[in-house]
Each structure stands twice: as structure tokens, then as C-alpha cells.
Short mmCIF file of all heavy atoms in Angstrom, two decimals:
data_model
loop_
_atom_site.label_atom_id
_atom_site.label_comp_id
_atom_site.label_asym_id
_atom_site.label_seq_id
_atom_site.Cartn_x
_atom_site.Cartn_y
_atom_site.Cartn_z
N SER A 28 -9.30 7.99 -4.99
CA SER A 28 -9.55 9.01 -4.02
C SER A 28 -10.96 9.49 -3.99
O SER A 28 -11.50 9.64 -2.94
CB SER A 28 -8.55 10.18 -4.23
OG SER A 28 -7.22 9.87 -4.09
N ARG A 29 -11.58 9.63 -5.16
CA ARG A 29 -12.98 10.07 -5.18
C ARG A 29 -13.92 9.03 -4.46
O ARG A 29 -14.78 9.42 -3.70
CB ARG A 29 -13.38 10.21 -6.63
CG ARG A 29 -12.87 11.59 -7.26
CD ARG A 29 -13.22 11.73 -8.69
NE ARG A 29 -12.92 13.06 -9.15
CZ ARG A 29 -12.86 13.46 -10.44
NH1 ARG A 29 -13.27 12.61 -11.29
NH2 ARG A 29 -12.50 14.72 -10.70
N VAL A 30 -13.63 7.79 -4.75
CA VAL A 30 -14.50 6.71 -4.19
C VAL A 30 -14.26 6.57 -2.67
O VAL A 30 -15.12 6.52 -1.86
CB VAL A 30 -14.28 5.36 -4.82
CG1 VAL A 30 -15.03 4.29 -4.10
CG2 VAL A 30 -14.77 5.48 -6.27
N ALA A 31 -12.91 6.65 -2.25
CA ALA A 31 -12.58 6.51 -0.87
C ALA A 31 -13.12 7.66 -0.05
O ALA A 31 -13.75 7.46 0.96
CB ALA A 31 -11.08 6.54 -0.75
N SER A 32 -13.00 8.87 -0.57
CA SER A 32 -13.51 10.06 0.14
C SER A 32 -15.02 10.02 0.25
O SER A 32 -15.58 10.35 1.35
CB SER A 32 -13.18 11.38 -0.62
OG SER A 32 -13.71 12.49 -0.03
N ALA A 33 -15.74 9.54 -0.77
CA ALA A 33 -17.17 9.40 -0.63
C ALA A 33 -17.66 8.45 0.41
O ALA A 33 -18.83 8.55 0.87
CB ALA A 33 -17.71 9.07 -2.01
N HIS A 34 -16.73 7.54 0.74
CA HIS A 34 -17.15 6.52 1.85
C HIS A 34 -16.45 6.76 3.13
O HIS A 34 -16.41 5.93 3.98
CB HIS A 34 -16.77 5.08 1.30
CG HIS A 34 -17.71 4.69 0.13
ND1 HIS A 34 -17.55 5.03 -1.10
CD2 HIS A 34 -18.77 3.80 0.15
CE1 HIS A 34 -18.46 4.47 -1.85
NE2 HIS A 34 -19.18 3.71 -1.10
N GLY A 35 -15.94 7.96 3.24
CA GLY A 35 -15.29 8.33 4.55
C GLY A 35 -13.95 7.69 4.84
O GLY A 35 -13.52 7.71 5.93
N TYR A 36 -13.19 7.35 3.78
CA TYR A 36 -11.85 6.73 3.94
C TYR A 36 -10.77 7.75 3.48
O TYR A 36 -11.02 8.57 2.50
CB TYR A 36 -11.73 5.49 3.06
CG TYR A 36 -12.32 4.25 3.83
CD1 TYR A 36 -13.70 4.03 3.71
CD2 TYR A 36 -11.48 3.30 4.47
CE1 TYR A 36 -14.19 2.89 4.32
CE2 TYR A 36 -11.96 2.24 5.05
CZ TYR A 36 -13.35 2.01 4.98
OH TYR A 36 -13.96 0.94 5.58
N ASP A 37 -9.67 7.69 4.11
CA ASP A 37 -8.52 8.51 3.60
C ASP A 37 -7.49 7.49 2.88
O ASP A 37 -7.51 6.28 3.16
CB ASP A 37 -7.78 9.18 4.80
CG ASP A 37 -8.59 10.33 5.40
OD1 ASP A 37 -9.26 10.99 4.64
OD2 ASP A 37 -8.61 10.36 6.66
N VAL A 38 -6.73 8.08 2.04
CA VAL A 38 -5.67 7.27 1.33
C VAL A 38 -4.32 7.58 1.75
O VAL A 38 -3.88 8.77 1.90
CB VAL A 38 -5.81 7.60 -0.21
CG1 VAL A 38 -4.71 7.02 -0.96
CG2 VAL A 38 -7.19 7.20 -0.71
N LEU A 39 -3.49 6.49 2.07
CA LEU A 39 -2.12 6.67 2.41
C LEU A 39 -1.27 6.11 1.19
O LEU A 39 -1.59 4.99 0.72
CB LEU A 39 -1.79 5.82 3.64
CG LEU A 39 -2.59 6.09 4.91
CD1 LEU A 39 -2.07 5.19 6.06
CD2 LEU A 39 -2.36 7.70 5.31
N LEU A 40 -0.28 6.86 0.82
CA LEU A 40 0.52 6.33 -0.27
C LEU A 40 1.70 5.51 0.25
O LEU A 40 2.31 5.93 1.20
CB LEU A 40 1.09 7.51 -1.11
CG LEU A 40 0.07 8.43 -1.84
CD1 LEU A 40 0.79 9.55 -2.62
CD2 LEU A 40 -0.80 7.65 -2.68
N SER A 41 1.90 4.44 -0.45
CA SER A 41 3.06 3.57 -0.03
C SER A 41 3.91 3.29 -1.21
O SER A 41 3.45 2.60 -2.13
CB SER A 41 2.50 2.27 0.65
OG SER A 41 3.50 1.47 1.18
N MET A 42 5.20 3.71 -1.22
CA MET A 42 6.09 3.47 -2.29
C MET A 42 6.90 2.23 -2.03
O MET A 42 7.43 1.92 -0.99
CB MET A 42 7.02 4.58 -2.44
CG MET A 42 6.34 6.03 -2.53
SD MET A 42 5.28 6.17 -4.04
CE MET A 42 6.62 6.32 -5.25
N VAL A 43 6.81 1.31 -3.11
CA VAL A 43 7.57 0.07 -3.00
C VAL A 43 8.40 -0.25 -4.25
O VAL A 43 8.10 0.36 -5.26
CB VAL A 43 6.58 -1.11 -2.76
CG1 VAL A 43 5.76 -0.97 -1.48
CG2 VAL A 43 5.71 -1.30 -3.99
N THR A 44 9.33 -1.07 -4.15
CA THR A 44 10.07 -1.61 -5.25
C THR A 44 10.06 -3.18 -5.03
O THR A 44 9.78 -3.68 -3.90
CB THR A 44 11.46 -1.13 -5.39
OG1 THR A 44 12.28 -1.50 -4.29
CG2 THR A 44 11.41 0.44 -5.42
N THR A 45 10.64 -3.88 -5.96
CA THR A 45 10.73 -5.33 -5.80
C THR A 45 11.69 -5.67 -4.62
O THR A 45 11.58 -6.74 -4.04
CB THR A 45 11.23 -6.04 -7.11
OG1 THR A 45 12.42 -5.41 -7.49
CG2 THR A 45 10.19 -5.99 -8.14
N GLN A 46 12.58 -4.80 -4.35
CA GLN A 46 13.61 -5.00 -3.27
C GLN A 46 13.24 -4.35 -1.97
O GLN A 46 13.81 -4.70 -0.90
CB GLN A 46 14.97 -4.52 -3.71
CG GLN A 46 15.66 -5.34 -4.80
CD GLN A 46 15.09 -4.86 -6.27
OE1 GLN A 46 14.69 -3.71 -6.38
NE2 GLN A 46 15.14 -5.80 -7.13
N ASN A 47 12.36 -3.39 -2.02
CA ASN A 47 12.08 -2.63 -0.77
C ASN A 47 10.57 -2.38 -0.62
O ASN A 47 9.95 -1.60 -1.32
CB ASN A 47 12.80 -1.24 -0.89
CG ASN A 47 12.72 -0.48 0.34
OD1 ASN A 47 11.93 -0.72 1.34
ND2 ASN A 47 13.61 0.44 0.46
N THR A 48 10.06 -3.01 0.38
CA THR A 48 8.55 -2.90 0.75
C THR A 48 8.41 -2.36 2.09
O THR A 48 7.33 -2.62 2.78
CB THR A 48 7.87 -4.24 0.55
OG1 THR A 48 8.50 -5.23 1.48
CG2 THR A 48 7.99 -4.79 -0.89
N LYS A 49 9.38 -1.65 2.63
CA LYS A 49 9.39 -1.17 4.05
C LYS A 49 8.13 -0.32 4.33
O LYS A 49 7.55 -0.50 5.40
CB LYS A 49 10.69 -0.45 4.38
CG LYS A 49 11.88 -1.29 4.52
CD LYS A 49 13.19 -0.49 4.86
CE LYS A 49 14.35 -1.43 5.04
NZ LYS A 49 15.58 -0.56 5.34
N GLN A 50 7.79 0.66 3.51
CA GLN A 50 6.66 1.51 3.76
C GLN A 50 5.43 0.70 3.93
O GLN A 50 4.62 1.01 4.84
CB GLN A 50 6.56 2.65 2.67
CG GLN A 50 7.43 3.77 2.80
CD GLN A 50 6.99 4.90 1.94
OE1 GLN A 50 6.02 4.82 1.21
NE2 GLN A 50 7.73 6.01 1.94
N LEU A 51 5.18 -0.24 3.00
CA LEU A 51 4.01 -1.01 3.06
C LEU A 51 3.99 -1.91 4.33
O LEU A 51 2.91 -2.02 4.95
CB LEU A 51 3.84 -1.84 1.84
CG LEU A 51 2.68 -2.84 1.72
CD1 LEU A 51 1.38 -2.05 1.82
CD2 LEU A 51 2.70 -3.65 0.45
N ARG A 52 5.16 -2.54 4.59
CA ARG A 52 5.18 -3.39 5.77
C ARG A 52 4.97 -2.57 7.02
O ARG A 52 4.25 -3.06 8.01
CB ARG A 52 6.61 -3.97 5.91
CG ARG A 52 6.82 -5.09 4.79
CD ARG A 52 8.21 -5.66 4.86
NE ARG A 52 8.39 -6.57 3.77
CZ ARG A 52 8.17 -7.93 3.98
NH1 ARG A 52 7.73 -8.42 5.09
NH2 ARG A 52 8.44 -8.75 2.95
N ARG A 53 5.46 -1.34 7.07
CA ARG A 53 5.27 -0.56 8.34
C ARG A 53 3.77 -0.17 8.54
O ARG A 53 3.26 -0.25 9.59
CB ARG A 53 6.11 0.71 8.19
CG ARG A 53 6.18 1.51 9.49
CD ARG A 53 7.38 2.44 9.52
NE ARG A 53 7.37 3.31 8.32
CZ ARG A 53 8.32 3.32 7.37
NH1 ARG A 53 9.34 2.50 7.49
NH2 ARG A 53 8.29 4.11 6.32
N ALA A 54 3.08 0.17 7.39
CA ALA A 54 1.69 0.48 7.58
C ALA A 54 0.92 -0.75 7.97
O ALA A 54 -0.12 -0.59 8.72
CB ALA A 54 1.15 0.89 6.17
N VAL A 55 1.20 -1.96 7.49
CA VAL A 55 0.50 -3.13 7.94
C VAL A 55 0.85 -3.51 9.26
O VAL A 55 -0.07 -3.76 10.12
CB VAL A 55 0.80 -4.28 6.92
CG1 VAL A 55 0.29 -5.62 7.52
CG2 VAL A 55 0.32 -3.96 5.59
N ASP A 56 2.15 -3.55 9.70
CA ASP A 56 2.53 -4.02 10.98
C ASP A 56 2.10 -3.09 12.08
O ASP A 56 1.74 -3.46 13.23
CB ASP A 56 4.04 -4.00 11.07
CG ASP A 56 4.60 -5.15 10.12
OD1 ASP A 56 3.79 -6.10 9.79
OD2 ASP A 56 5.83 -5.19 9.84
N ASN A 57 1.85 -1.78 11.77
CA ASN A 57 1.41 -0.76 12.79
C ASN A 57 -0.05 -0.58 12.73
O ASN A 57 -0.68 0.26 13.31
CB ASN A 57 2.12 0.59 12.54
CG ASN A 57 3.59 0.50 12.80
OD1 ASN A 57 4.04 -0.29 13.69
ND2 ASN A 57 4.35 1.44 12.20
N HIS A 58 -0.74 -1.49 11.94
CA HIS A 58 -2.20 -1.46 11.85
C HIS A 58 -2.73 -0.08 11.43
O HIS A 58 -3.77 0.42 11.96
CB HIS A 58 -2.79 -1.87 13.19
CG HIS A 58 -2.33 -3.19 13.68
ND1 HIS A 58 -2.72 -4.39 13.15
CD2 HIS A 58 -1.39 -3.44 14.77
CE1 HIS A 58 -2.00 -5.41 13.82
NE2 HIS A 58 -1.27 -4.91 14.75
N LYS A 59 -2.13 0.46 10.44
CA LYS A 59 -2.57 1.82 9.96
C LYS A 59 -3.54 1.77 8.88
O LYS A 59 -4.17 2.80 8.49
CB LYS A 59 -1.31 2.60 9.50
CG LYS A 59 -0.34 3.01 10.61
CD LYS A 59 0.79 3.87 10.11
CE LYS A 59 1.68 4.39 11.19
NZ LYS A 59 2.83 5.16 10.58
N ILE A 60 -3.77 0.66 8.32
CA ILE A 60 -4.66 0.51 7.15
C ILE A 60 -5.63 -0.62 7.27
O ILE A 60 -5.34 -1.55 8.02
CB ILE A 60 -3.90 0.31 5.78
CG1 ILE A 60 -3.08 -1.02 5.92
CG2 ILE A 60 -2.98 1.47 5.48
CD1 ILE A 60 -2.40 -1.32 4.62
N ASP A 61 -6.82 -0.47 6.61
CA ASP A 61 -7.82 -1.60 6.55
C ASP A 61 -7.62 -2.43 5.31
O ASP A 61 -8.13 -3.53 5.30
CB ASP A 61 -9.24 -0.96 6.59
CG ASP A 61 -9.50 -0.18 7.89
OD1 ASP A 61 -8.95 -0.53 8.97
OD2 ASP A 61 -10.27 0.82 7.73
N GLY A 62 -7.12 -1.84 4.24
CA GLY A 62 -6.91 -2.64 3.08
C GLY A 62 -5.94 -1.82 2.11
O GLY A 62 -5.48 -0.74 2.46
N ALA A 63 -5.65 -2.49 1.03
CA ALA A 63 -4.63 -1.88 0.09
C ALA A 63 -5.00 -2.12 -1.31
O ALA A 63 -5.69 -3.03 -1.71
CB ALA A 63 -3.25 -2.48 0.36
N ILE A 64 -4.51 -1.23 -2.28
CA ILE A 64 -4.70 -1.37 -3.65
C ILE A 64 -3.32 -1.31 -4.33
O ILE A 64 -2.54 -0.38 -4.12
CB ILE A 64 -5.56 -0.18 -4.20
CG1 ILE A 64 -6.96 -0.20 -3.65
CG2 ILE A 64 -5.63 -0.33 -5.79
CD1 ILE A 64 -7.79 0.90 -3.99
N LEU A 65 -2.99 -2.40 -4.96
CA LEU A 65 -1.69 -2.46 -5.78
C LEU A 65 -1.99 -1.78 -7.16
O LEU A 65 -2.94 -2.13 -7.80
CB LEU A 65 -1.23 -3.92 -5.95
CG LEU A 65 -0.75 -4.63 -4.76
CD1 LEU A 65 -0.43 -6.04 -5.14
CD2 LEU A 65 0.49 -4.00 -4.20
N THR A 66 -1.17 -0.89 -7.57
CA THR A 66 -1.37 -0.20 -8.83
C THR A 66 -0.62 -0.80 -10.11
O THR A 66 -0.66 -0.37 -11.10
CB THR A 66 -1.07 1.26 -8.71
OG1 THR A 66 0.28 1.40 -8.28
CG2 THR A 66 -1.96 1.93 -7.70
N ARG A 67 0.18 -1.92 -9.75
CA ARG A 67 0.95 -2.55 -10.90
C ARG A 67 1.17 -3.96 -10.42
O ARG A 67 1.37 -4.31 -9.22
CB ARG A 67 2.29 -1.78 -11.17
CG ARG A 67 2.99 -2.39 -12.29
CD ARG A 67 4.10 -1.52 -12.79
NE ARG A 67 5.26 -1.54 -11.83
CZ ARG A 67 6.31 -0.78 -12.04
NH1 ARG A 67 6.36 0.14 -13.02
NH2 ARG A 67 7.33 -0.75 -11.19
N THR A 68 1.20 -4.88 -11.38
CA THR A 68 1.40 -6.29 -11.10
C THR A 68 2.67 -6.80 -11.88
O THR A 68 2.90 -6.34 -13.04
CB THR A 68 0.28 -7.19 -11.48
OG1 THR A 68 -0.09 -6.99 -12.84
CG2 THR A 68 -0.91 -6.94 -10.57
N LEU A 69 3.53 -7.52 -11.28
CA LEU A 69 4.72 -7.96 -11.86
C LEU A 69 4.88 -9.53 -11.84
O LEU A 69 4.06 -10.18 -11.03
CB LEU A 69 5.97 -7.42 -11.09
CG LEU A 69 6.09 -5.96 -10.92
CD1 LEU A 69 7.18 -5.54 -9.98
CD2 LEU A 69 6.33 -5.30 -12.31
N ALA A 70 5.67 -10.09 -12.61
CA ALA A 70 5.85 -11.49 -12.66
C ALA A 70 6.31 -12.07 -11.35
O ALA A 70 5.89 -13.03 -10.82
CB ALA A 70 6.81 -11.89 -13.85
N GLU A 71 7.29 -11.31 -10.78
CA GLU A 71 7.82 -11.66 -9.46
C GLU A 71 7.42 -10.53 -8.58
O GLU A 71 8.09 -9.44 -8.53
CB GLU A 71 9.33 -11.81 -9.47
CG GLU A 71 9.75 -13.05 -10.22
CD GLU A 71 9.27 -14.36 -9.67
OE1 GLU A 71 9.18 -14.40 -8.39
OE2 GLU A 71 8.96 -15.23 -10.43
N ASP A 72 6.36 -10.61 -7.85
CA ASP A 72 5.73 -9.43 -7.20
C ASP A 72 5.80 -9.54 -5.67
O ASP A 72 5.00 -10.22 -4.99
CB ASP A 72 4.21 -9.40 -7.57
CG ASP A 72 3.70 -7.96 -7.46
OD1 ASP A 72 3.88 -7.36 -6.43
OD2 ASP A 72 2.95 -7.60 -8.42
N GLU A 73 6.87 -8.99 -5.14
CA GLU A 73 7.13 -9.03 -3.66
C GLU A 73 6.01 -8.33 -2.86
O GLU A 73 5.58 -8.88 -1.84
CB GLU A 73 8.45 -8.49 -3.33
CG GLU A 73 9.67 -9.37 -3.80
CD GLU A 73 9.58 -10.71 -3.33
OE1 GLU A 73 9.30 -10.91 -2.19
OE2 GLU A 73 9.90 -11.62 -4.14
N PRO A 74 5.58 -7.09 -3.19
CA PRO A 74 4.48 -6.48 -2.44
C PRO A 74 3.24 -7.37 -2.41
O PRO A 74 2.56 -7.44 -1.42
CB PRO A 74 4.22 -5.18 -3.26
CG PRO A 74 5.52 -4.87 -3.95
CD PRO A 74 6.08 -6.23 -4.27
#
């Protein structure tokens, strides 16, 4: 958030699970974001 704010960006939170990525898909499909940061990596990583 500190880096994003300093560069004029806002942060949108997107909650996902291995079975449910609807929030992230909606943000992407509706062109609401320029990029994303994954905060955890999994062996089988659907997001």
C-alpha cells in the first residue's frame, strides 16, 4: 500500500481459494485492475 499510494495507485483486495477465484476473475474481466500481486504460492495454484 505504501508503494502503491506513492505512485498514485489504489489497492483492491481480492479473496481467492483453490476452488473459488470469482473475485479475481471479476476484477480482470471487468477491466478494473492494471496488475495483480499474489501473496501466496501453492503447488496447484489456480489463481
Side-chain angles (χ1 to χ4, degrees):
S28 298
R29 283 179 172 167
V30 173
S32 177
H34 289 80
Y36 279 80
D37 291 321
V38 171
L39 301 181
L40 297 183
S41 183
M42 306 296 289
V43 300
T44 64
T45 52
Q46 293 81 26
N47 188 343
T48 59
K49 287 182 180 179
Q50 277 194 1
L51 178 59
R52 289 175 181 273
R53 191 160 54 245
V55 171
D56 293 343
N57 292 335
H58 307 288
K59 290 183 176 180
I60 60 172
D61 297 327
I64 298 174
L65 291 175
T66 55
R67 184 168 72 184
T68 56
L69 302 173
E71 295 297 326
D72 205 314
E73 291 303 320

